Amino acid sequence: MSDKRSGFKKQMDRSIDYAAVLEQIAGYAAFSRSVAMIRNAMPLETVQLAREQLDFVQEGMEYVRLGKDLSMGGVTDIEPFLDSASKSIVLLPGELNAIALFLSAVRRAVQAFEEEREPRLAEYAATMDPCDKLRKKIEAMIDLGGDIKEDATPTLYGRTQALRQAKADLSVFARGYTKQHATRLMDTTTTTIQGRLCVLAKTPEKNSFGGMIHGTSQSGMATYVEPREFVVRNNKIQSLALEIEEEKRRICRELTAQVAASALALGSDLETMTFLDTVMARAKWANRYDGCVPKFQTRDHSFRFAHARHPLIDEQKVVANTYASQKDQFCLMISGPNMGGKTVTLKTIGLFVVLAHAGFPVLAHDAMLPWYTSMWFDIGDDQSIENNLSTFSSHMSKIARICQAANEHTFILLDEIGNGTDPLEGASLASAILAYLIDCQSTIVTSTHYDQVKEFGKADLHTLVSSVEFDVETLRPTYRYLPGISGGSFAFAIASQLQLEPAIIAHARTLKEENMKESQKALERLEIEQKEVMKKQERFDVLIQNAHRIQKEAEAEKQKWIGKRETLEAEYEHELEAMLDEKREEARAILAKMKNHPEVKVHEQIESLHAINDLAPEQKEEKAAKETFAVGDYVHIDSLNAHGEILEIRKKQATVLTNGMKVNVKTNVLTKMKRPNVPKTAPKPRLERVTKRFPLELNLIGMRVEEGLNALDRYLDQAIVHKAISVRIIHGMGTGKLRKAVWDDLRKRNTVKSFESAGPNEGGLGATIVTLK
């Protein structure tokens, strides 16, 4: 940031609490880089850039309002790791894991937004490269704790297993060794010195073990000895450990090289994720405090901040006000008693102007303002001992620079203009300065308590005089903004409440009357009338606020009922599915009864089929309405898992010929299908009539394996008797056990010529077509 911009940032931080508000917004950001970007935010160069960012924030606010959240879990600033990788500095496992976590967040962000609802955010997020290959490679080798996995490579896995086995072998050997030499040892336990297993030998016996001596106990009675039998095994363990570390370093080098190769894409992803996080932080802040996205207009000087609230004032205590000026009002003048809220009003307006120009939302119900190319602030006491400047001199020095730079695109904030010197001279100077700035057509927001300045404002067509309200009964400011009314000092009321002699107050009033001009008296009478109008306006504003609150509550209630409706629909679907399962079980029971009792008459079978059809619920009316049927159509009967040809249709009922039987069913359980291509035979007329009465398919669904095989055995015997050429066995897909058992049984039968899975329109893998000899 240049010195000029840095100085302007400091001026805003000091004058309008800009830094404190940015810090509040930064609290909603997910990681350090986006936090820093928010803290350093400055007004943008052009209105196009500001509008573009505010459009992103608008979509973000809608995204948050719907209860969604852009997951930034695991995102960190990976720029230092990318710099290291680009310089061939090997990254540590934890740093590589941070990159993998970052890429996981990138992948989530790419899929987070809907193109129809959040087109800008969706398009912006789609520009990122999730680098899936790199992420998967890192995840395959490094765990979430930032450690290299044992099975990251076959080499690492083999050496890790070898190390574990070597340690186990040494441990077993050491237990036997210590038992064998217990008389020369202080203790039969072992210990590890610098990664090497040792025994605790009696000091006089220390040289009898060979090997290496690693130290002596404090008492001198025991010595840490690595026996010669341990040396080779310890060397092997340390050698394996070194090989493992070298393999881990090689893995890190390999992954670092891949990170370096993808550094450009990763850097771009980081910039995009940072911007998305700042957008969502701004959106969350605005949503939390009921803010809005400001709009820019370039027609005139008018601005409006409706129901504005300063972010740093307790939301339970802050007083919302509407600040506005018309197109020909270049100056907004605010008056009122000291400590009455004038400075807060100035700071709120100035803060909202800067936030809008920096692409941030504001805490208001609605906001509209012009685009300014420069902004100036003169708030507070800038007395300088170093430069020998008094408060007045400091203000005048700054105002001189403002006047030199002022033009029609300048926004100026002046607190207590002309203060700090002789009241008459100060008021005269203030009026002259304001007149000059108004001639420049700058937008000026100022405060004053000088009557002469207020009179100037009342007389000037381009100035709106307003005030902040003061309660004379409680002697406290209400912080309510009163446009069009200049505020008094309330000195007499305050003196009366503080028990000053009534005679003194009366004398003071007389002196005031004598010194007041007729114009001032007329202004006072006008302000009394204006206050009456304001009371009516306030009642109207209360109604507007209540309407806004009711609207928000209604929207929240709507969302609640939408959620309840979705829950009820899900529960209904679940209950419907459960009911269908129950009906299917009843259907299977009826079918089983028909199959297990071949002696049942044909008309009784038809009645059973009708009973199955009646079990189907009425949930397919819509399907029936969409699909039409005609006599001759070949259809699948959903409720029976059978198929056949339509012989007759009456309204919503159809007569279908299936398996040699006529069945009356509702059209909402029918689905058109391709007529199966069953090989035609030319049997004798007598046998053909017999075959027609024999069902050409067997349904085993719902049966256990043993039960199904028994039914298959009986059915195939009947098929041979009836001279059937081809039959269809329906076993379903399920776990595949019944299908396997059926195929195993068919392979053993010498009456079966061939068998194969049914076609897509005949049941697919859930059915088998059997050709008999």
Side-chain angles (χ1 to χ4, degrees), residues 147-184:
D147 297 318
I148 297 179
K149 296 179 179 180
E150 287 187 357
D151 59 349
T153 63
T155 300
L156 181 61
Y157 180 75
R159 289 172 182 171
T160 302
Q161 292 297 101
L163 176 62
R164 189 174 288 117
Q165 186 61 48
K167 287 182 177 180
D169 292 344
L170 177 57
S171 179
V172 171
F173 177 79
R175 284 197 296 271
Y177 186 88
T178 53
K179 289 181 181 179
Q180 182 181 356
H181 301 85
T183 56
R184 292 185 291 164

mmCIF file of all heavy atoms in Angstrom, residues 147-184:
data_model
loop_
_atom_site.group_PDB
_atom_site.id
_atom_site.type_symbol
_atom_site.label_atom_id
_atom_site.label_comp_id
_atom_site.label_asym_id
_atom_site.label_seq_id
_atom_site.Cartn_x
_atom_site.Cartn_y
_atom_site.Cartn_z
ATOM 1 N N ASP A 147 1.225 -37.037 9.027
ATOM 2 C CA ASP A 147 2.298 -38.029 9.042
ATOM 3 C C ASP A 147 2.229 -38.884 7.777
ATOM 4 O O ASP A 147 1.135 -39.142 7.249
ATOM 5 C CB ASP A 147 2.185 -38.940 10.266
ATOM 6 C CG ASP A 147 2.350 -38.167 11.570
ATOM 7 O OD1 ASP A 147 3.233 -37.294 11.615
ATOM 8 O OD2 ASP A 147 1.586 -38.429 12.516
ATOM 9 N N ILE A 148 3.403 -39.340 7.311
ATOM 10 C CA ILE A 148 3.437 -40.205 6.134
ATOM 11 C C ILE A 148 2.902 -41.582 6.505
ATOM 12 O O ILE A 148 3.295 -42.165 7.526
ATOM 13 C CB ILE A 148 4.867 -40.304 5.586
ATOM 14 C CG1 ILE A 148 5.331 -38.926 5.112
ATOM 15 C CG2 ILE A 148 4.936 -41.297 4.436
ATOM 16 C CD1 ILE A 148 6.742 -38.897 4.584
ATOM 17 N N LYS A 149 1.997 -42.095 5.691
ATOM 18 C CA LYS A 149 1.390 -43.397 5.966
ATOM 19 C C LYS A 149 2.415 -44.510 5.805
ATOM 20 O O LYS A 149 3.313 -44.426 4.958
ATOM 21 C CB LYS A 149 0.216 -43.636 5.021
ATOM 22 C CG LYS A 149 -0.935 -42.666 5.208
ATOM 23 C CD LYS A 149 -2.053 -42.972 4.215
ATOM 24 C CE LYS A 149 -3.223 -42.015 4.397
ATOM 25 N NZ LYS A 149 -4.317 -42.291 3.431
ATOM 26 N N GLU A 150 2.269 -45.562 6.608
ATOM 27 C CA GLU A 150 3.200 -46.682 6.533
ATOM 28 C C GLU A 150 3.181 -47.342 5.159
ATOM 29 O O GLU A 150 4.196 -47.825 4.683
ATOM 30 C CB GLU A 150 2.853 -47.724 7.602
ATOM 31 C CG GLU A 150 3.218 -47.311 9.013
ATOM 32 C CD GLU A 150 3.011 -48.439 10.002
ATOM 33 O OE1 GLU A 150 2.523 -49.517 9.561
ATOM 34 O OE2 GLU A 150 3.309 -48.261 11.187
ATOM 35 N N ASP A 151 1.978 -47.376 4.539
ATOM 36 C CA ASP A 151 1.857 -48.042 3.246
ATOM 37 C C ASP A 151 1.885 -47.047 2.090
ATOM 38 O O ASP A 151 1.317 -47.304 1.028
ATOM 39 C CB ASP A 151 0.576 -48.865 3.203
ATOM 40 C CG ASP A 151 -0.670 -48.009 3.438
ATOM 41 O OD1 ASP A 151 -0.515 -46.827 3.837
ATOM 42 O OD2 ASP A 151 -1.786 -48.513 3.234
ATOM 43 N N ALA A 152 2.527 -45.894 2.291
ATOM 44 C CA ALA A 152 2.588 -44.879 1.236
ATOM 45 C C ALA A 152 3.224 -45.442 -0.029
ATOM 46 O O ALA A 152 2.787 -45.129 -1.143
ATOM 47 C CB ALA A 152 3.352 -43.654 1.722
ATOM 48 N N THR A 153 4.258 -46.242 0.128
ATOM 49 C CA THR A 153 4.887 -46.924 -1.013
ATOM 50 C C THR A 153 5.192 -48.354 -0.584
ATOM 51 O O THR A 153 5.344 -48.636 0.619
ATOM 52 C CB THR A 153 6.194 -46.236 -1.443
ATOM 53 O OG1 THR A 153 7.141 -46.312 -0.360
ATOM 54 C CG2 THR A 153 5.950 -44.768 -1.797
ATOM 55 N N PRO A 154 5.304 -49.291 -1.539
ATOM 56 C CA PRO A 154 5.677 -50.665 -1.174
ATOM 57 C C PRO A 154 7.014 -50.725 -0.433
ATOM 58 O O PRO A 154 7.187 -51.519 0.499
ATOM 59 C CB PRO A 154 5.746 -51.378 -2.534
ATOM 60 C CG PRO A 154 4.850 -50.582 -3.422
ATOM 61 C CD PRO A 154 4.994 -49.165 -2.972
ATOM 62 N N THR A 155 7.957 -49.885 -0.853
ATOM 63 C CA THR A 155 9.269 -49.874 -0.192
ATOM 64 C C THR A 155 9.139 -49.473 1.264
ATOM 65 O O THR A 155 9.703 -50.115 2.161
ATOM 66 C CB THR A 155 10.219 -48.908 -0.926
ATOM 67 O OG1 THR A 155 10.370 -49.327 -2.272
ATOM 68 C CG2 THR A 155 11.572 -48.870 -0.231
ATOM 69 N N LEU A 156 8.398 -48.398 1.524
ATOM 70 C CA LEU A 156 8.226 -47.921 2.903
ATOM 71 C C LEU A 156 7.495 -48.963 3.736
ATOM 72 O O LEU A 156 7.868 -49.216 4.900
ATOM 73 C CB LEU A 156 7.460 -46.599 2.913
ATOM 74 C CG LEU A 156 7.231 -45.975 4.294
ATOM 75 C CD1 LEU A 156 8.563 -45.665 4.974
ATOM 76 C CD2 LEU A 156 6.393 -44.706 4.191
ATOM 77 N N TYR A 157 6.486 -49.580 3.142
ATOM 78 C CA TYR A 157 5.724 -50.584 3.890
ATOM 79 C C TYR A 157 6.624 -51.772 4.240
ATOM 80 O O TYR A 157 6.614 -52.262 5.382
ATOM 81 C CB TYR A 157 4.535 -51.054 3.054
ATOM 82 C CG TYR A 157 3.690 -52.084 3.755
ATOM 83 C CD1 TYR A 157 2.824 -51.721 4.783
ATOM 84 C CD2 TYR A 157 3.766 -53.428 3.394
ATOM 85 C CE1 TYR A 157 2.056 -52.682 5.434
ATOM 86 C CE2 TYR A 157 3.010 -54.390 4.032
ATOM 87 C CZ TYR A 157 2.147 -54.007 5.048
ATOM 88 O OH TYR A 157 1.397 -54.962 5.706
ATOM 89 N N GLY A 158 7.425 -52.220 3.253
ATOM 90 C CA GLY A 158 8.297 -53.369 3.506
ATOM 91 C C GLY A 158 9.327 -53.071 4.580
ATOM 92 O O GLY A 158 9.562 -53.904 5.483
ATOM 93 N N ARG A 159 9.930 -51.889 4.544
ATOM 94 C CA ARG A 159 10.951 -51.543 5.539
ATOM 95 C C ARG A 159 10.332 -51.307 6.913
ATOM 96 O O ARG A 159 10.942 -51.625 7.942
ATOM 97 C CB ARG A 159 11.720 -50.310 5.076
ATOM 98 C CG ARG A 159 12.626 -50.632 3.881
ATOM 99 C CD ARG A 159 13.263 -49.410 3.276
ATOM 100 N NE ARG A 159 14.083 -49.789 2.121
ATOM 101 C CZ ARG A 159 14.617 -48.927 1.283
ATOM 102 N NH1 ARG A 159 14.427 -47.624 1.458
ATOM 103 N NH2 ARG A 159 15.341 -49.349 0.261
ATOM 104 N N THR A 160 9.135 -50.763 6.937
ATOM 105 C CA THR A 160 8.459 -50.568 8.223
ATOM 106 C C THR A 160 8.146 -51.911 8.865
ATOM 107 O O THR A 160 8.339 -52.100 10.076
ATOM 108 C CB THR A 160 7.160 -49.759 8.026
ATOM 109 O OG1 THR A 160 7.479 -48.499 7.430
ATOM 110 C CG2 THR A 160 6.473 -49.521 9.348
ATOM 111 N N GLN A 161 7.665 -52.862 8.037
ATOM 112 C CA GLN A 161 7.383 -54.199 8.563
ATOM 113 C C GLN A 161 8.670 -54.883 9.029
ATOM 114 O O GLN A 161 8.699 -55.556 10.063
ATOM 115 C CB GLN A 161 6.699 -55.053 7.491
ATOM 116 C CG GLN A 161 5.290 -54.587 7.127
ATOM 117 C CD GLN A 161 4.333 -54.678 8.302
ATOM 118 O OE1 GLN A 161 4.033 -53.684 8.960
ATOM 119 N NE2 GLN A 161 3.891 -55.870 8.610
ATOM 120 N N ALA A 162 9.738 -54.679 8.259
ATOM 121 C CA ALA A 162 11.021 -55.281 8.629
ATOM 122 C C ALA A 162 11.531 -54.698 9.940
ATOM 123 O O ALA A 162 12.063 -55.416 10.805
ATOM 124 C CB ALA A 162 12.043 -55.067 7.519
ATOM 125 N N LEU A 163 11.374 -53.386 10.114
ATOM 126 C CA LEU A 163 11.796 -52.745 11.358
ATOM 127 C C LEU A 163 10.991 -53.264 12.535
ATOM 128 O O LEU A 163 11.546 -53.545 13.612
ATOM 129 C CB LEU A 163 11.636 -51.221 11.231
ATOM 130 C CG LEU A 163 11.952 -50.412 12.492
ATOM 131 C CD1 LEU A 163 13.416 -50.591 12.889
ATOM 132 C CD2 LEU A 163 11.648 -48.940 12.270
ATOM 133 N N ARG A 164 9.691 -53.385 12.333
ATOM 134 C CA ARG A 164 8.843 -53.892 13.415
ATOM 135 C C ARG A 164 9.250 -55.319 13.799
ATOM 136 O O ARG A 164 9.305 -55.667 14.983
ATOM 137 C CB ARG A 164 7.379 -53.836 12.957
ATOM 138 C CG ARG A 164 6.388 -54.120 14.054
ATOM 139 C CD ARG A 164 4.947 -53.900 13.586
ATOM 140 N NE ARG A 164 4.662 -52.487 13.432
ATOM 141 C CZ ARG A 164 4.353 -51.899 12.293
ATOM 142 N NH1 ARG A 164 4.285 -52.627 11.186
ATOM 143 N NH2 ARG A 164 4.114 -50.612 12.235
ATOM 144 N N GLN A 165 9.550 -56.140 12.771
ATOM 145 C CA GLN A 165 9.950 -57.513 13.036
ATOM 146 C C GLN A 165 11.319 -57.563 13.723
ATOM 147 O O GLN A 165 11.536 -58.365 14.650
ATOM 148 C CB GLN A 165 9.992 -58.305 11.725
ATOM 149 C CG GLN A 165 10.269 -59.790 11.893
ATOM 150 C CD GLN A 165 9.215 -60.484 12.720
ATOM 151 O OE1 GLN A 165 8.026 -60.311 12.479
ATOM 152 N NE2 GLN A 165 9.634 -61.262 13.717
ATOM 153 N N ALA A 166 12.244 -56.684 13.286
ATOM 154 C CA ALA A 166 13.578 -56.662 13.893
ATOM 155 C C ALA A 166 13.492 -56.275 15.367
ATOM 156 O O ALA A 166 14.192 -56.845 16.221
ATOM 157 C CB ALA A 166 14.478 -55.696 13.135
ATOM 158 N N LYS A 167 12.649 -55.317 15.675
ATOM 159 C CA LYS A 167 12.478 -54.917 17.078
ATOM 160 C C LYS A 167 11.854 -56.037 17.892
ATOM 161 O O LYS A 167 12.237 -56.262 19.059
ATOM 162 C CB LYS A 167 11.615 -53.656 17.153
ATOM 163 C CG LYS A 167 12.310 -52.386 16.692
ATOM 164 C CD LYS A 167 11.401 -51.178 16.849
ATOM 165 C CE LYS A 167 12.127 -49.891 16.452
ATOM 166 N NZ LYS A 167 11.244 -48.691 16.595
ATOM 167 N N ALA A 168 10.882 -56.726 17.287
ATOM 168 C CA ALA A 168 10.247 -57.840 18.002
ATOM 169 C C ALA A 168 11.258 -58.969 18.249
ATOM 170 O O ALA A 168 11.309 -59.549 19.344
ATOM 171 C CB ALA A 168 9.054 -58.350 17.199
ATOM 172 N N ASP A 169 12.098 -59.262 17.217
ATOM 173 C CA ASP A 169 13.107 -60.325 17.375
ATOM 174 C C ASP A 169 14.104 -59.954 18.468
ATOM 175 O O ASP A 169 14.483 -60.800 19.295
ATOM 176 C CB ASP A 169 13.837 -60.544 16.047
ATOM 177 C CG ASP A 169 12.932 -61.138 14.986
ATOM 178 O OD1 ASP A 169 11.850 -61.651 15.347
ATOM 179 O OD2 ASP A 169 13.290 -61.056 13.783
ATOM 180 N N LEU A 170 14.542 -58.700 18.485
ATOM 181 C CA LEU A 170 15.500 -58.262 19.497
ATOM 182 C C LEU A 170 14.868 -58.328 20.892
ATOM 183 O O LEU A 170 15.532 -58.710 21.864
ATOM 184 C CB LEU A 170 15.982 -56.843 19.204
ATOM 185 C CG LEU A 170 16.938 -56.229 20.232
ATOM 186 C CD1 LEU A 170 18.180 -57.129 20.416
ATOM 187 C CD2 LEU A 170 17.352 -54.829 19.809
ATOM 188 N N SER A 171 13.588 -57.976 20.979
ATOM 189 C CA SER A 171 12.920 -58.016 22.274
ATOM 190 C C SER A 171 12.847 -59.439 22.817
ATOM 191 O O SER A 171 13.096 -59.679 24.008
ATOM 192 C CB SER A 171 11.505 -57.425 22.136
ATOM 193 O OG SER A 171 10.824 -57.477 23.361
ATOM 194 N N VAL A 172 12.518 -60.374 21.905
ATOM 195 C CA VAL A 172 12.459 -61.788 22.328
ATOM 196 C C VAL A 172 13.852 -62.273 22.727
ATOM 197 O O VAL A 172 14.035 -62.940 23.769
ATOM 198 C CB VAL A 172 11.890 -62.658 21.179
ATOM 199 C CG1 VAL A 172 12.027 -64.145 21.524
ATOM 200 C CG2 VAL A 172 10.432 -62.293 20.927
ATOM 201 N N PHE A 173 14.844 -61.924 21.901
ATOM 202 C CA PHE A 173 16.213 -62.343 22.208
ATOM 203 C C PHE A 173 16.680 -61.737 23.539
ATOM 204 O O PHE A 173 17.342 -62.403 24.346
ATOM 205 C CB PHE A 173 17.143 -61.912 21.078
ATOM 206 C CG PHE A 173 18.582 -62.230 21.336
ATOM 207 C CD1 PHE A 173 19.081 -63.524 21.152
ATOM 208 C CD2 PHE A 173 19.468 -61.244 21.803
ATOM 209 C CE1 PHE A 173 20.412 -63.807 21.419
ATOM 210 C CE2 PHE A 173 20.789 -61.528 22.063
ATOM 211 C CZ PHE A 173 21.273 -62.808 21.866
ATOM 212 N N ALA A 174 16.335 -60.480 23.786
ATOM 213 C CA ALA A 174 16.781 -59.791 24.994
ATOM 214 C C ALA A 174 16.192 -60.435 26.241
ATOM 215 O O ALA A 174 16.869 -60.526 27.289
ATOM 216 C CB ALA A 174 16.399 -58.323 24.934
ATOM 217 N N ARG A 175 14.919 -60.881 26.159
ATOM 218 C CA ARG A 175 14.321 -61.530 27.345
ATOM 219 C C ARG A 175 15.066 -62.809 27.698
ATOM 220 O O ARG A 175 15.351 -63.088 28.870
ATOM 221 C CB ARG A 175 12.849 -61.829 27.070
ATOM 222 C CG ARG A 175 11.952 -60.600 27.147
ATOM 223 C CD ARG A 175 10.488 -60.989 27.281
ATOM 224 N NE ARG A 175 9.999 -61.705 26.117
ATOM 225 C CZ ARG A 175 9.474 -61.121 25.045
ATOM 226 N NH1 ARG A 175 9.376 -59.800 25.003
ATOM 227 N NH2 ARG A 175 9.043 -61.843 24.039
ATOM 228 N N GLY A 176 15.408 -63.590 26.669
ATOM 229 C CA GLY A 176 16.162 -64.821 26.930
ATOM 230 C C GLY A 176 17.580 -64.515 27.432
ATOM 231 O O GLY A 176 18.087 -65.185 28.342
ATOM 232 N N TYR A 177 18.177 -63.483 26.876
ATOM 233 C CA TYR A 177 19.543 -63.110 27.251
ATOM 234 C C TYR A 177 19.602 -62.659 28.713
ATOM 235 O O TYR A 177 20.518 -63.051 29.451
ATOM 236 C CB TYR A 177 20.039 -62.005 26.323
ATOM 237 C CG TYR A 177 21.485 -61.634 26.519
ATOM 238 C CD1 TYR A 177 22.504 -62.308 25.837
ATOM 239 C CD2 TYR A 177 21.841 -60.619 27.405
ATOM 240 C CE1 TYR A 177 23.834 -61.960 26.029
ATOM 241 C CE2 TYR A 177 23.171 -60.269 27.598
ATOM 242 C CZ TYR A 177 24.166 -60.955 26.909
ATOM 243 O OH TYR A 177 25.479 -60.615 27.114
ATOM 244 N N THR A 178 18.663 -61.828 29.129
ATOM 245 C CA THR A 178 18.692 -61.323 30.505
ATOM 246 C C THR A 178 18.439 -62.443 31.518
ATOM 247 O O THR A 178 19.005 -62.427 32.618
ATOM 248 C CB THR A 178 17.646 -60.216 30.697
ATOM 249 O OG1 THR A 178 16.353 -60.682 30.278
ATOM 250 C CG2 THR A 178 18.012 -58.975 29.904
ATOM 251 N N LYS A 179 17.613 -63.401 31.149
ATOM 252 C CA LYS A 179 17.402 -64.544 32.047
ATOM 253 C C LYS A 179 18.680 -65.381 32.178
ATOM 254 O O LYS A 179 19.031 -65.838 33.264
ATOM 255 C CB LYS A 179 16.248 -65.402 31.536
ATOM 256 C CG LYS A 179 14.883 -64.773 31.694
ATOM 257 C CD LYS A 179 13.792 -65.707 31.171
ATOM 258 C CE LYS A 179 12.409 -65.065 31.307
ATOM 259 N NZ LYS A 179 11.355 -65.962 30.767
ATOM 260 N N GLN A 180 19.345 -65.537 31.028
ATOM 261 C CA GLN A 180 20.574 -66.360 31.014
ATOM 262 C C GLN A 180 21.699 -65.720 31.816
ATOM 263 O O GLN A 180 22.501 -66.416 32.443
ATOM 264 C CB GLN A 180 20.995 -66.582 29.562
ATOM 265 C CG GLN A 180 22.231 -67.467 29.407
ATOM 266 C CD GLN A 180 22.617 -67.645 27.949
ATOM 267 O OE1 GLN A 180 21.929 -67.171 27.059
ATOM 268 N NE2 GLN A 180 23.723 -68.335 27.713
ATOM 269 N N HIS A 181 21.768 -64.382 31.833
ATOM 270 C CA HIS A 181 22.859 -63.686 32.507
ATOM 271 C C HIS A 181 22.352 -62.891 33.706
ATOM 272 O O HIS A 181 22.923 -61.846 34.048
ATOM 273 C CB HIS A 181 23.576 -62.736 31.524
ATOM 274 C CG HIS A 181 24.156 -63.431 30.329
ATOM 275 N ND1 HIS A 181 23.436 -63.723 29.195
ATOM 276 C CD2 HIS A 181 25.421 -63.906 30.099
ATOM 277 C CE1 HIS A 181 24.204 -64.324 28.323
ATOM 278 N NE2 HIS A 181 25.434 -64.460 28.843
ATOM 279 N N ALA A 182 21.313 -63.368 34.334
ATOM 280 C CA ALA A 182 20.682 -62.623 35.434
ATOM 281 C C ALA A 182 21.644 -62.372 36.585
ATOM 282 O O ALA A 182 21.566 -61.326 37.256
ATOM 283 C CB ALA A 182 19.445 -63.374 35.930
ATOM 284 N N THR A 183 22.588 -63.264 36.821
ATOM 285 C CA THR A 183 23.478 -63.108 37.978
ATOM 286 C C THR A 183 24.442 -61.943 37.799
ATOM 287 O O THR A 183 24.964 -61.397 38.788
ATOM 288 C CB THR A 183 24.280 -64.398 38.187
ATOM 289 O OG1 THR A 183 24.992 -64.712 36.986
ATOM 290 C CG2 THR A 183 23.341 -65.556 38.539
ATOM 291 N N ARG A 184 24.705 -61.559 36.561
ATOM 292 C CA ARG A 184 25.633 -60.463 36.322
ATOM 293 C C ARG A 184 24.932 -59.126 36.066
ATOM 294 O O ARG A 184 25.578 -58.129 35.797
ATOM 295 C CB ARG A 184 26.528 -60.795 35.118
ATOM 296 C CG ARG A 184 27.503 -61.943 35.395
ATOM 297 C CD ARG A 184 28.442 -62.149 34.230
ATOM 298 N NE ARG A 184 27.732 -62.676 33.053
ATOM 299 C CZ ARG A 184 28.216 -62.664 31.816
ATOM 300 N NH1 ARG A 184 29.407 -62.131 31.585
ATOM 301 N NH2 ARG A 184 27.528 -63.161 30.811
#
